Every structure is written in C-alpha cells, then in structure tokens.
Amino acid sequence: MTKDLRKRVVIENVKPEIDCGSFPIKRVVGEKVVVEADVFCDGHDTVSASLLYKAQNVKDWSEISMTFIENDRWRGEFLVEKMGTYYYTLEGWVDYFKTWQKDFKKKFEAGHDTRVELLIGASLVDDSLGIALTRDRKRLKELGNILKGDNLEEAISIAVGDELTELMNKSPNKKSATRYEKELSVVVDRPKGLFSTWYERFPRSSSSLPGKQGTFKDLGRLLPEIARMGFDILYLPPIHPIGKTHRKGKNNSPVANPDDVGSPWAIGSEEGGHTSIHPQLGNMKDFEALVRKAMDLGMEVALDLAFQCTPDHPYVNEHPEWFRKRPDGAIQYAENPPKKYEDIYPLNFETDDTLGLWEALKSVTVFWIKKGVKIFRVDNPHTKAFPFWEWLIGEIKRDYPDVIFLSEAFTRPKVMYRLAKIGFTQSYTYFTWRNTKREFMEYLAELTHTETSEFFRPNFWPNTPDILPEHLQYGGRQAFVMRLVLAGTLSSNYGIYGPAFELLEHEALPGKEEYLNSEKYEIREWDWDSGGNLRDLIAIFNGIRRENPALQVTRNLRFYQVDNEYLLFYGKATDDLDNIILVVVNLDPFHTQSGWVTVPIGEFGIDPDQPYLVHDLLSQDKYIWHGERNYVELDPRVVPAHIFRLRKKLKRETDFDYFL
Amino acid sequence: MTKDLRKRVVIENVKPEIDCGSFPIKRVVGEKVVVEADVFCDGHDTVSASLLYKAQNVKDWSEISMTFIENDRWRGEFLVEKMGTYYYTLEGWVDYFKTWQKDFKKKFEAGHDTRVELLIGASLVDDSLGIALTRDRKRLKELGNILKGDNLEEAISIAVGDELTELMNKSPNKKSATRYEKELSVVVDRPKGLFSTWYERFPRSSSSLPGKQGTFKDLGRLLPEIARMGFDILYLPPIHPIGKTHRKGKNNSPVANPDDVGSPWAIGSEEGGHTSIHPQLGNMKDFEALVRKAMDLGMEVALDLAFQCTPDHPYVNEHPEWFRKRPDGAIQYAENPPKKYEDIYPLNFETDDTLGLWEALKSVTVFWIKKGVKIFRVDNPHTKAFPFWEWLIGEIKRDYPDVIFLSEAFTRPKVMYRLAKIGFTQSYTYFTWRNTKREFMEYLAELTHTETSEFFRPNFWPNTPDILPEHLQYGGRQAFVMRLVLAGTLSSNYGIYGPAFELLEHEALPGKEEYLNSEKYEIREWDWDSGGNLRDLIAIFNGIRRENPALQVTRNLRFYQVDNEYLLFYGKATDDLDNIILVVVNLDPFHTQSGWVTVPIGEFGIDPDQPYLVHDLLSQDKYIWHGERNYVELDPRVVPAHIFRLRKKLKRETDFDYFL
C-alpha cells in the first residue's frame, strides 16, 4: 500500500488484453501490435505514457512513447520481429516538466512576472541531472543555470525552446510512475499462420489406375499440379493403419464389406497406431520423400491429429487405463445417444494417468515434427479437454515455435473461441454456412473488428470431406467460383478439399449436406481433366493472393456500400495504401446483378475529381472510375466476382496509357 | 498445473466484474445482484453451475444454482441484506449424473438394452454416498441397489424418476469442479445510497431579517418547510471559518470590500479550520441541534468535504510540509494558468508526509461523523490523488458502512468513473448539460444499461451554486418544472440548490452559466413566498417519488417510442410490475407538443384489447388507454410533463369506477 500512495496516474482499459491477460494475442513475424489505454491522473497536470515491450529471453524492455488520441486515450505500437512470445506493458507518469512548460507559456503570454517560475523550472532541470544520459548532463546543468541566471530574456527563450524540451523529454523524471500491473503477451507465429492456402486430399484416391489404392508415390506425381494451382499446404487426412473391428462401409454403412477400406479417422490396427503408416500408402521413407518433394515445390505437408482409437489400436492393450471401462468389462465406445460409434474408443482425458496419456500424445506430435511436419489440422479438438490442448500446444511451441495448429472445431462459438485462446493458430469457422450479405457482414465484423480478431485466426473452407453445403449442391460452377473468391479474399487463410472442389463434385446424400459416396469410406477415382474444372481459375486466383499483400491479412477487411442486396462489396488495403484490393461478389448464382458501389476514395487519398483505374485481376478487364459512386454488373455465368486492384496514380488523361 | 489437469469446465466472461475484479460493484440493502457467466466444457457432457456468495466476516459460502440461458450462458442472483461488503464467485462442474440420465433416456427410448447403463448409473449413485447429506444416504443406497437389481422395470422407473434426480442434484458430485479464480465484491450501502432527495442551502442566507447573516438557528426554523417539500438530505456548503487573505468580493471580484463575507469554500482562518464552525453561524451545540432537528423531521444534514485551505488556515503554520513551496519561500497558491487563485492553498498530495496528511483528513471526516453527519458532498475530488480517496473511503466505510460520499467531479468522463470505482457512493453527472431527446437517450443508456451502472450511481442536479444552465435562464417557470421532473424521474438520486431553484432564480452573469450575485460570495435575501414559486409542486413531486418504488431505482429506466422529437417518453417499473410509472416530458418549454406514444403493453402483461388506466400523479388527471399507441399532448405553460401511474387491473368496463 504505502509504496503506491503517491502513484497518481491511472492506467486502465488496456486493449488488446484477452480475459484480463489470461491469454496471449496472436501475431505473425513482421506484424505490428497496436496498444491503447486510458492514462490519466487527478487535477490538471500533464501525463506522459510509454509502451514497453520485449521478446522472450530478452532482459530489458524497449520503450515507445505513446501518443495522446482523445478523451484520456493513448496509443502506441511495436513490431514483432521473431517467432515465440513477446511481452508488453505500459507506464504512465505525471510529466512535471511538460506541466511546468505548458503553464509557463501561459503565464508568460499573460504578462505575469516569471522570475520565480523560471526558478521552479530550474529545479526540475536539476532534479533530472541524476536521470539524464551522462553526455547530456553538462548541457542540462548549463541550461538550468541560465534559467536561474540574471538574463531574463535568455532564460525565457531557453524555457520554451526546443533544446531544453528535447533533453528533458529524453530522460523523463518518472518519480512515482505507475507501471501497469500486468505483463501481457503475444504469441508470434511465422507468416504462414496468417497467410496460407490449403489443399486437402486423400492420398489413397491418388492412383491413376482405376480401382487401385493410391500411394504416397502416386500423390507425389500430383504435387507439381497442386503447386501450380498455388497451394502452399497439402493437408492429408490420417495416414495411419485403419481398424477392422466395426469398420464402417461405403456411405457410412454400419456394416462393411470385406473389400471396404474404412475411414482414415478410425485409427489403429495390429499394424500400428498414431505413429505408423497405413501399409498400402507406403512406408516411412515414402512419406519422407513426399514431404521433401512438396518442400521443393514450395509446399508443406500437413497431417491430421485425430486423437482417438479403434478397438484394434495398440493403446487398447498397452494402456487400457486410458479408456473408460463399462461395468461389464468392455471398453466404452463413442456415442452421441442414441447413436453408437462402436468403431471408435475415445481416449479418456479424465484417466488417473492424465500425464501419461498427455505425454504419449505429445510424443506422437513430436514424432511427426521430426519427420518434417510442422502443420497439423486437429480433428475435433472440442471433444478433448481444454487443459490438454493448452498444455500440448504450449509444450510444442516452446520447442518448435514454427508449428501451426488448425482447430477443426465445428461447434458452439464460445467453445471455438476458447480453443483459439488456449493456443490454436488457426480455426475453422461458420463461413461454410454464411450465405446472405447480412450474414457475411455480421460474421466478418465479429471476426475482424472485435477483440476476437486478436486471438482467433479464421481459416475459410468452401467444402470439407464432411460438408458439401447446399449452395454447392445446387448453385452450379458459378457457386464454386463465388465461394472460392469469398473464402480466399475475405480470409487470408483458406483451403479447399480437392479434387472434389475443383471438379465441382456436388452429389449429396439425399437431404443432407454430406457427399454421396464420400471418400471418407471408399476410394474415389477422379478425372482431374474433366470439362469445366477450376484448376486454371484457382491458379489465377491463388496467384492474385500471392501477389497482393492486402489479401494476406484478414483484420484489414472493410465492407463498403453497394445498393443491391445480392452484391457484396468489400476491400482490403496495406497500411501504406500501396496495395488496394476491392472485391465485388454476386451472391446470387442464378441472375445477373448490378448496382452502384460507393468507393471510400477519401480513405484511399483520391480526390473527388481524380479518375482512377480499377483493374480486374481475375478477368484482366480495366475500368476508369471517377468519384465515389460507380456502376458494376456481374453475370454469374460469366464470372460471379470482380477482384479489382485500385491504381490511383493517374495525374493526367495521358497517364491512362500507362495502365491500359 | 497438475491439479488443474482434469478441470474440464471453463468459467469466463463473468458479469458484473469491474476491471478484472479490481473494484466492487455497488448495491443497497435489499437489492439483488444478478450474475452471468459463460460456463461450458469440452464434448457433450452436461455441466452445472453455482453462484457462491457471502457477506464479509461470514465463513461459509451460500450456494445458488445457476440457470442456463442460451449459448453457454448461465445466470444466478442473490439478495444483499446488510451493509458492508459481500463477495461472490462461481463454480462449474461436469454433471456426470445429469449427463448419464439424459443419455439413459435417449437410449431407453431408442430401445437399447439398458442393463449395463443402469449399472453405470448405480455406480454414480454409489459415488455420491460420500457426499450426500447423512439423512439421504440410506435412501440413495436403496435406490442404487434397485438400479443394480433384477427388476428392470423398477430400475428404469427409478433411473428417470424425480426422487433420484432430486437426491442426486441436492449433493452434486463436484469431482474436478472449476472454481472461478476471482472473488468479486459488492459494496452494500444503505437504501439512501440509491434513493435520496437533496436540498442544498447556504445557512448564512437563512435569516428572516433583511441584510442579516443567517445562523444555524435561523436555518432550523426553515426545516419543517424543507421537510414538507419532501427532501431527505439537507446539504450545507462548508460551515467553517472563512479566510481573509485575498478574500474574494461579490461576483467573484478579486478584491473584497471590508463587509464582504467571502466564499464558504475558502476554508480556514485564525478562528479555525475544517473542524471549526464559522462563528457567525453559531457554535457546535447549535450545529448538533440542527442535525437533531433535521433527524426528527426525517432528514439528514450533509456536509461538504472541501479539502483545501486559505492562507489563514491553521494547517499552514502547523503543517507547512503539506503544502508546496515556491523557490521564493512562499506557499504555492492554486492556479489554472494564467488564472491565479491566491485565496486558496491546495494541499500537496505528493508531500513526503503523505500518511500524516491523509490521517489528518480522515480525522476531519471522523470528527463530523461523530457529530451525526453520515453524508458528505465532496468538493472537486478530481483535483486530489485517486489513491487518497480509495484509502479514505475504504477506511471510513470499514468503520461506518452507512456513510455516503457524493462526488462533485464535473470533469472528463473517465476521471468521473474512476472516482466512482474507487468508492464514491453517488456522483454528479452531465445531466445539467443534456437537453435534446437524443442526448438524454444516449447518456441515460450509458448510465443505466452499461457496466457503468454497476459502480456509478448518478445524482441529477438541475442547478448548483456554480451552474445556472442556459435553459433555466431563458425557459421560464416551465423549464424549472421540466428539469425537476427529468432529474427526479430519470434518476432516483437528485437534488436542487435552493431556494434559487424553487424561486425560479434565473439571472446570470452575462454570457455565462453562472448566477449573478451568487450566494457563494454574498448573503442573499430570499422571498420564499414569492408568486409562482415551486414549493407546493416540489412537495407533490417528491411525494410521488416517495410513494412509487419504481422511481426509487435508476437502472430500471427504459425509453419508449414517441413520434415527436420534443417529447421524451420513458418508464420505470418494479420487478413484480406492481408499480409501473410512465413519464412523458415536453422538452420544448415554449410550445405545445403532441404525439403518439407506444406503450410496451406486452412487457407489462396487458392484452392488446384490454383497456388500462393511466393516472397522472402530477395533475390527478386520468385517462383510459387501449393498446400500444395512445395520444398525448403537453402545453408546457400548463404543465410540461405527465407522470402516469399505469393501473392495469381493469377486467370489465364497470371496473373503471374503481379508479375514476
């Protein structure tokens, strides 16, 4: 208590601060952290505030002067330059010198006798001698003496002059400064945490021979084309041995035929568990070769962490204590009453051997990391205990800060956000079920303009092996293009499940949003060259994303006005406005829609009478626009979206030639 | 860490919780505290949640079952029944029995074999034996045995029956329950903290003899009329000796005439300081008699805590270390450069003798408490250090929980809110400068429907000795009535500075919102019987507040629709809807305004075809209304407001007689 008696400055309402500082915010290397806080004191004294930050293992804080905004609010920012954890906090203090100088000027202008005031200033200068940099002390002493001296005119010009101001501001007297009581943290990922382009593919459906189980080698032959399409992450569903007991048949049939291959998520057989490879895919060498080949093509292989077992999984015999036992001695299978999933034994996170189980799952993760896998899509994390994920991700990222975890939790919003808070790098979202303009605007506002955006990094998927949404079933090719553009321009992280997506696969189980003849339960043959496929368009689209830094961030999304309920109009820009992207999407896959968009030319630094060029990067069409309101028309059967790059350096009519 | 491994339940987003629990919320005796939180766990298990609370010095928590609302949100509430501090926190746990029972029903209905399921239930019952109340154990054991027994039909009926459910819910198995990590607090004041009616009056202007300085005895003679007007707090500006050095003259003139009486806020002379009484007001016995007489009339005397000194204050000689010294040896006077206030020496809250100064100011407060004063209006608290107030109010309320502090901080919003957080019971507001419908709706929404309402209790003043707002200068008698009604119906705490208010005093310093010939600097003679005075109206109005509990709370305010920008329409109701008040105010003091109000009859439980009576408690007019939309018309020259009590117990036409 006593030491705080004279701490007059209050620091409160600090943003970002997640759940009172219980959780870090997220950034990638090269991003900035903007911190705001209310900083004020009693009375009329002037306060100053600093933002302090440091990377982990660095001893000393770096200090940034905060800027006053309005209404006692201050702002500062810093850049994160390496992976790992950064810390930040704040400091605020009564700035006696600034207070004195401000008051001195008013008194001098009002013609008051300033002799005593100058002496007060001199004593503040004297007080600072013990704090100032050694090389500044001599000069400060001289200036202090001038304030005290007989030459009033000189003293006054020193008092209000830049030299003294700068020297005093350099080493402020932080007597009784208030340090914010918390040190807040930032988890800094590599850039791929924020900008990534995922391609999901079942390796067993990669054979070019009809009816044959594909292998890692088969998949390897497809890598150049996957890379050409512009993907940088190739995510494989589980590659482990598949259980036989209660194996599911085609279309999730409860009874399998002898030749049914089973679901890759039914992990474990006498051939091994989570660190083994399904023998029909190849061996560990084949896998490592695939990882290397992907790397050579600029891609990374991502694996699935699906922490569950079949009755045939080695853990069942080796660690029966990790499973729940029923009173009849049987192991408890998964269920969602009245449904039973007898092919799956969930791990019991309430086992008495908690740490044993956790360490085993960590060792699985580390095993694959050592095989070169640094990206994991985590299956149903919301059905495993939160403390486990917080522990696992913390342990892994301490040693491997470049590892990325994608949370596949399609569940209630607070559960999804909790998983993001406790460490998941990216998260699946409700994007797949958002359709109308209003739905997009509300959901994206929540994801990009609330505190959520500080810890939850969305990853948008138009489809997954589990979800064939209604609009793709009935919307035709244009619906696929529309969803592709929405996914990859609204969110800087997105992915598709291929080749179902680029081949426009749209046959569903009747009345459901699930694929008919799903690859989850059988091997599919795909004709990658079938007519109307989206491979070239995807290559163009991912190229646009790669070449335009504005699309490599999600939090910069802004929606703009357009007077048609079926048109969605939004933009993204880099901070320096060097790269401005404007997107118009026709949400109606069946009809041409047109309307007037309102371009925020003021925000973009464009005069009302200055023409500017919008260059559609998808179609290569170019338009000269003027002023805020401009006309657009989109026939979905041609192309359901414009992705404009705005080029504003048009000074004279003749400059148009430069662009056209 | 290890002990939390299996704590699967998350508790977050707890409301109310001020600044991460740094500050208490506020209630008065008899109010309830409604607590909400997100409580959830991984997977599909059912969770349960409890709200725990206790009064200070009570050892054990009381426990209230929380109710699920939606989207993982839970709610619970408790009543505070005595002054002092209460604490609350939360507990959430996986409810294994409820989970089992829910699943059991589904499996039973789906026709599964339930024998093993019943054994699982039996083991849950067995687990509970160690937790259950002694008197329940025998029966639980019997029920458990039935579940395990051969009579399947009986076992099933027990499994889903009420008896087992109730017994199990009574003593839930909180294995691995999560306790919220914070204990949050509530400061509970006496009811007057929330419902009070203040009358400010300068005792020295209380004489009935022209030109004579009034005394406590003179003021005592006015008490019956002040009580008749319905006030319950008589607040006196400082009653201490007034300094002579640099005394201000009439109308704040920098030079006083010899007969000028000075400002009561210029505290301290050779006759004493903050614990002395101005000799011309009387002596301590007179003061104590005044306090007693007020008490007999149902009123309390409130004093001003104005912690500042004149150059003549005894502290200046006794404790020069409590003041700032200038380099010329003089003591630093108050200033707001270039303005100087040489009649005031501020106390230096950065003195090296911080605790000495603080203890002295505490002793001043305790001195007056011992004279029977339990309510303090604190002058300019925002010019003294925040830690001082937090300490002082904490110290005082520990020993005297019935003391009320009103913060007179007319300053920036965050400073005002900070003072409320650190302990002030009530606060002055921006009400005085809010005029339009939109301004009222926005400001009152902030005060009553945000977290602010948990710690900031507004006190609305139409005027103060410092402020004669523009609308009272020009708006005529009807503006006074309008502001009275607004102040005392929007806010359950309000006050007026009299007799300037009830006598419609509206002469201002030219171009300012300050009184001409302000009582702050001179003695005024008031003709309390002058024509048009508001004394009777105020008595009626305060009677309405006293008789209608809906008006004794502020957080229950709701604005409703009315299709006229000059009409403000709002209501307040008790939780049980026994008392419903609807207020319509004409904000235009010059013209009749009319419009259609939309009464939220659904909220009030009134059928669309059911007539109801609105009884204007100001005018005694009665109207039968039907449905939502009803017509109102207000001529401000007659009366600028309706204060309706809504009476809805009209069943048949003939019932009207009961009301009419």
Side-chain angles (χ1 to χ4, degrees), chain A residues 554-573:
Chain A
T554 298
R555 287 150 50 96
N556 60 348
L557 177 72
R558 299 285 179 276
F559 286 102
Y560 304 120
Q561 177 68 32
V562 49
D563 58 358
N564 179 325
E565 274 311 288
Y566 291 98
L567 293 180
L568 194 63
F569 178 38
Y570 52 96
K572 289 186 168 186

Side-chain angles (χ1 to χ4, degrees), chain A residues 301-591:
Chain A
V301 169
L303 286 189
D304 200 312
L305 289 182
F307 288 146
Q308 56 199 13
C309 302
T310 70
D312 311 323
H313 194 290
Y315 285 168
V316 176
N317 282 321
E318 292 164 15
H319 293 287
E321 70 279 13
W322 293 350
F323 300 89
R324 222 178 276 273
K325 201 166 264 172
R326 289 164 60 86
D328 58 358
I331 289 180
Q332 179 65 57
Y333 45 80
E335 50 181 5
N336 185 9
K339 286 192 214 158
K340 301 178 180 182
Y341 305 97
E342 290 173 279
D343 56 330
I344 296 294
Y345 286 173
L347 291 159
N348 177 14
F349 284 84
E350 290 176 322
T351 171
D352 288 335
D353 183 31
T354 313
L355 264 182
L357 171 62
W358 291 16
E359 288 288 358
L361 299 178
K362 177 184 165 188
S363 76
V364 166
T365 314
V366 171
F367 177 89
W368 292 109
I369 290 173
K370 293 198 167 150
K371 300 294 176 204
V373 176
K374 295 296 188 82
I375 304 181
F376 297 96
R377 177 267 202 192
V378 178
D379 189 67
N380 279 338
H382 58 292
T383 61
K384 288 96 194 170
F386 298 114
F388 164 67
W389 294 119
E390 190 164 10
W391 174 86
L392 178 77
I393 297 174
E395 289 282 299
I396 295 293
K397 295 205 68 137
R398 190 191 56 215
D399 298 333
Y400 308 97
D402 55 339
V403 171
I404 289 172
F405 293 93
L406 166 63
S407 158
E408 188 252 0
F410 288 112
T411 181
R412 309 188 309 282
K414 286 167 187 173
V415 175
M416 291 169 67
Y417 290 152
R418 180 77 183 189
L419 290 164
K421 287 180 193 171
I422 61 179
F424 281 91
T425 324
Q426 302 181 355
S427 305
Y428 281 68
T429 68
Y430 302 137
F431 164 73
T432 319
W433 300 280
R434 293 293 179 271
N435 291 290
T436 66
K437 182 168 178 166
R438 187 193 164 125
E439 283 170 355
F440 281 116
M441 292 181 70
E442 283 181 359
Y443 189 46
L444 269 298
E446 180 178 325
L447 294 184
T448 62
H449 293 128
T450 68
E451 192 181 61
T452 302
S453 70
E454 299 284 356
F455 60 82
F456 183 91
R457 281 204 201 98
N459 190 329
F460 280 6
W461 289 70
N463 71 331
T464 77
D466 296 313
I467 314 165
L468 174 62
E470 207 173 13
H471 44 257
L472 295 188
Q473 298 178 31
Y474 304 111
R477 182 180 192 273
Q478 56 269 34
F480 282 79
V481 178
M482 183 233 290
R483 300 302 295 191
L484 174 78
V485 170
L486 287 168
T489 56
L490 289 169
S491 173
S492 48
N493 294 304
Y494 94 100
I496 60 168
Y497 151 53
F501 189 83
E502 65 267 27
L503 297 183
L504 315 176
E505 174 68 26
H506 60 279
E507 285 194 89
L509 287 173
K512 299 206 167 177
E513 292 200 319
E514 290 173 36
Y515 281 96
L516 183 69
N517 304 325
S518 167
E519 280 190 290
K520 290 200 295 181
Y521 310 104
E522 62 188 280
I523 292 173
R524 289 286 297 269
E525 293 158 31
W526 298 104
D527 176 8
W528 227 10
D529 296 313
S530 71
N533 79 67
L534 300 178
R535 279 158 50 201
D536 289 346
L537 183 87
I538 290 171
I540 292 170
F541 178 69
N542 285 335
I544 294 170
R545 282 168 43 90
R546 213 166 38 241
E547 284 152 25
N548 288 280
L551 294 174
Q552 297 167 14
V553 182
T554 298
R555 287 150 50 96
N556 60 348
L557 177 72
R558 299 285 179 276
F559 286 102
Y560 304 120
Q561 177 68 32
V562 49
D563 58 358
N564 179 325
E565 274 311 288
Y566 291 98
L567 293 180
L568 194 63
F569 178 38
Y570 52 96
K572 289 186 168 186
T574 51
D575 284 352
D576 59 11
L577 299 180
D578 253 17
N579 187 239
I580 301 175
I581 298 293
L582 295 174
V583 182
V584 190
V585 180
N586 180 355
L587 299 175
D588 172 0
F590 304 112
H591 306 94

Side-chain angles (χ1 to χ4, degrees), chain B residues 324-380:
Chain B
R324 224 177 275 273
K325 202 166 265 173
R326 289 164 61 86
D328 58 357
I331 289 180
Q332 180 64 57
Y333 45 81
E335 49 181 5
N336 185 11
K339 286 192 212 159
K340 301 178 181 183
Y341 305 97
E342 290 173 280
D343 57 331
I344 297 295
Y345 287 173
L347 291 158
N348 176 14
F349 284 84
E350 291 176 321
T351 170
D352 288 333
D353 183 31
T354 313
L355 264 182
L357 170 62
W358 291 16
E359 288 288 358
L361 299 178
K362 177 183 166 188
S363 77
V364 167
T365 313
V366 171
F367 177 90
W368 292 109
I369 290 172
K370 293 197 168 153
K371 301 294 177 205
V373 176
K374 295 296 188 82
I375 304 180
F376 297 95
R377 178 267 200 193
V378 178
D379 188 68
N380 278 339

